[in-house]
Amino acid sequence: GYLPASTMTAVIVGGSIVNLTMSMVEDARTYSGTVSGIIRDSAGKTVAGCFVGLYETVQDGTAVKERLVAVTKTNDAGKYLFGGVTGGNYLVKAKLER
């Protein structure tokens, strides 16, 4: 149910972690939204079969708690999709086991 206010790109190098803060606007055409993306390696190649987790984040005093909402794997093109996502704050984590 949300659209990004602008396009964002993140480059993750050498196993590092990138935290993104994104501004979103409500999409009145839908009652729930999707979270999707493409996982790429440090060379920019898409990563197939990568585990992807969607976590809802909640501020609890001074700490942020994460609750796993859904898991999926990337397809052959490195793409993932979570549907039926309600309003809130979310974090996406990806892990590839070889």
Side-chain angles (χ1 to χ4, degrees):
Y2 294 88
L3 300 169
S6 63
T7 301
M8 296 185 73
T9 301
V11 177
I12 302 172
V13 181
S16 63
I17 296 173
V18 174
N19 293 313
L20 296 174
T21 300
M22 179 184 295
S23 295
M24 307 283 285
V25 293
E26 190 170 349
D27 182 355
R29 299 172 298 169
T30 60
Y31 61 92
S32 65
T34 61
V35 174
S36 63
I38 301 172
I39 304 296
R40 299 179 186 274
D41 64 15
S42 60
K45 295 182 180 180
T46 59
V47 180
C50 183
F51 286 97
V52 183
L54 179 67
Y55 294 80
E56 184 174 23
T57 60
V58 178
Q59 189 73 36
D60 184 16
T62 58
V64 175
K65 292 189 175 184
E66 299 173 3
R67 182 178 65 87
L68 182 61
V69 176
V71 294
T72 191
K73 284 179 114 176
T74 55
N75 66 11
D76 289 341
K79 296 178 182 181
Y80 67 88
L81 172 78
F82 297 105
V85 180
T86 59
N89 295 311
Y90 294 91
L91 174 67
V92 175
K93 294 183 182 183
K95 182 176 183 178
L96 179 63
E97 293 187 10
R98 295 188 181 205

